Amino acid sequence: AIITKPEKPIPTLAQFIDEIYKPCFMSGLEETTKANYNRYIRLYIVPFLGDMPLAAINVAHIQSFYDWMAHASHYGKQRDLTRSTINRVSGLTSRMFKVARELKLVDDTPFKLTLLRNNGRRSSHHKALPDAEVARIKREIPLLEDDRQRLYMGLLVYTGMRREEVLGLGWENIHLAEGYGEVHRVVTYPDNTRTVVKDEPKTATSERTFIIPAPLKRLLLPFERESGYVI
């Protein structure tokens, strides 16, 4: 008699993500990156593709996935996704299939970029505030009753720092007498619940010196300390 081994069941994409991809390929990522990937998985990848066996997903399913994200508001989501967001979600999903192929769970990846169309809405780039609006904000900052809000808004408007840079700013990095400060650290909230402190800014060029103009100095001076977070 010929004894044959039972075929191993092909996992669904959701099973593959939970059992293989997350523990093996996401555990070492930066907290903010991991939070973004988990959001993509929870909101888009698993709802549309999660119940399908890995080997059954083909390029037509991926095109339908693209179109579903491009018209997300038609399916109860808050709004249609931009092309750049769809590219980020599909990039993560594509990496999952590359891993699955290396593990011989699938023969090929369904991500055939020359065949796929991204019909997401165009991204709207951030626009600088008009000078008159910036001047109005600067006039109204001293009128804010909350001390932390005055400091926070003052640092944002007068220095152009990112939010996470402002939150990571320490008094030891502020030199009021000399009129400058230094960016060395950032504070992020990757899933809006935990605080993550990173002792280096977002990029190499983000570690920099910034000028403290006289109006910002007047805001900071009453709260000056030797150390500790400014905000």
Side-chain angles (χ1 to χ4, degrees):
I2 298 175
I3 300 175
T4 58
K5 296 173 100 178
E7 289 189 11
K8 189 176 180 180
I10 299 173
T12 64
L13 180 57
Q15 290 171 331
F16 172 76
I17 291 171
D18 287 337
E19 297 170 10
I20 298 176
Y21 197 82
K22 278 188 177 181
C24 298
F25 298 93
M26 284 178 52
S27 59
L29 297 175
E30 293 282 350
E31 291 296 327
T32 49
T33 303
K34 191 188 302 183
N36 284 333
Y37 284 2
N38 278 320
R39 186 168 67 252
Y40 297 157
I41 291 168
R42 184 180 74 254
L43 294 179
Y44 307 114
I45 299 173
V46 167
F48 195 87
L49 298 169
D51 291 336
M52 299 182 66
L54 276 174
I57 298 174
N58 58 37
V59 67
H61 295 126
I62 300 303
Q63 182 62 61
S64 297
F65 181 41
Y66 273 47
D67 294 339
W68 178 74
M69 289 189 288
H71 304 287
S73 61
H74 298 172
Y75 300 89
K77 299 296 181 187
Q78 188 174 12
R79 62 187 305 192
D80 302 342
L81 299 189
T82 63
R83 293 180 185 180
S84 58
T85 300
I86 291 172
N87 283 335
R88 288 193 291 271
V89 176
S90 63
L92 173 60
T93 318
S94 175
R95 287 193 291 277
M96 292 176 181
F97 275 94
K98 287 178 182 177
V99 170
R101 184 176 59 186
E102 291 297 318
L103 296 176
K104 302 190 183 309
L105 296 174
V106 295
D107 294 329
D108 197 6
T109 172
F111 280 84
K112 308 298 182 184
L113 297 184
T114 56
L115 302 177
L116 294 168
R117 300 180 313 278
N118 183 343
N119 297 315
R121 61 186 175 86
R122 292 183 180 275
S123 303
S124 55
H125 294 287
H126 298 297
K127 295 182 179 179
L129 292 174
D131 291 344
E133 180 67 4
V134 173
R136 184 190 67 81
I137 293 171
K138 289 179 177 179
R139 287 196 304 271
E140 295 192 11
I141 287 174
L143 304 179
L144 293 170
E145 296 181 359
D146 186 274
D147 295 338
R148 294 175 75 254
Q149 288 182 3
R150 285 201 306 279
L151 294 176
Y152 181 68
M153 291 303 299
L155 286 163
L156 285 175
V157 172
Y158 284 104
T159 70
M161 285 193 289
R162 297 183 179 93
R163 182 180 66 167
E164 60 268 24
E165 293 172 344
V166 171
L167 296 177
L169 191 63
W171 284 109
E172 60 274 15
N173 305 128
I174 295 287
H175 310 282
L176 287 182
E178 294 83 359
Y180 74 94
E182 300 162 321
V183 176
H184 292 298
R185 175 179 58 199
V186 296
V187 171
T188 62
Y189 296 86
D191 53 11
N192 295 322
T193 57
R194 295 173 297 123
T195 304
V196 175
V197 180
K198 296 174 62 179
D199 290 325
E200 68 275 343
K202 187 173 182 180
T203 65
T205 55
S206 297
E207 189 165 4
R208 65 195 185 280
T209 300
F210 61 90
I211 295 173
I212 299 176
L216 179 57
K217 183 176 181 179
R218 288 194 293 270
L219 288 172
L220 293 168
L221 197 55
F223 305 97
E224 185 179 18
R225 291 184 293 168
E226 289 186 1
S227 63
Y229 288 102
V230 176
I231 306 295

